[in-house]
Amino acid sequence: QVQLVESGGGLVQAGGSLRLSCAASGRSLGSYGMGWFRQAPGKEREFVAGISWSGSSTAYADSVKGRFTISRDNAKNTLYLQMNSLKPEDTAVYICAVSSMMVATTVSRYEYWGQGTQVTVSS
């Protein structure tokens, strides 16, 4: 079993930055892919970014490419999401997840999920 706890969300003005963290416990995640998703009110959960177990492979949604960076520290069992140039449309609950696949981009490929952290971007 894997437990995931996100942190780092908050309220920020458009153009600002936030860094999200996801602390994992229960087992070592060195052989698992990890990812970030987001869900806005009334919308489906959508893929944001994914990373392989080694960190050498990443994938991003087109809407965040060039603005967001995903990274991980396997020694600390922690996943990160650096978000720059934030826009009001980035407002959502951000959720981290674990996958047995190297870099998965769909909800169905992820086995474990956190509760999420709220990110609100004001205009």
Side-chain angles (χ1 to χ4, degrees), residues 2-118:
V2 176
Q3 293 79 44
L4 303 170
V5 179
E6 302 91 339
S7 61
L11 174 64
V12 64
Q13 288 189 331
S17 298
L18 281 175
R19 189 193 194 203
L20 306 183
S21 298
C22 172
S25 60
R27 68 168 63 174
S28 173
L29 298 180
S31 60
Y32 287 83
M34 298 187 75
W36 287 99
F37 287 74
R38 65 187 182 187
Q39 189 163 20
K43 294 189 177 181
E44 292 188 353
R45 187 168 296 187
E46 65 172 353
F47 172 77
V48 174
I51 188 167
S52 63
W53 70 270
S54 68
S56 61
S57 296
T58 58
Y60 295 92
D62 288 343
S63 59
V64 307
K65 273 181 186 175
R67 300 188 298 123
F68 291 10
T69 302
I70 189 171
S71 62
R72 64 190 293 171
D73 184 337
N74 288 337
K76 296 182 179 179
N77 253 12
T78 302
L79 176 71
Y80 303 100
L81 184 68
Q82 178 67 44
M83 305 186 296
N84 298 329
S85 301
L86 282 161
K87 304 175 181 179
E89 51 263 45
D90 294 320
T91 295
V93 174
Y94 283 72
I95 307 157
C96 72
V98 171
S99 171
S100 58
M101 295 184 63
M102 190 171 70
V103 183
T105 61
T106 58
V107 170
S108 62
R109 297 296 187 181
Y110 284 81
E111 290 86 25
Y112 301 101
W113 296 85
Q115 294 297 309
T117 184
Q118 176 69 46

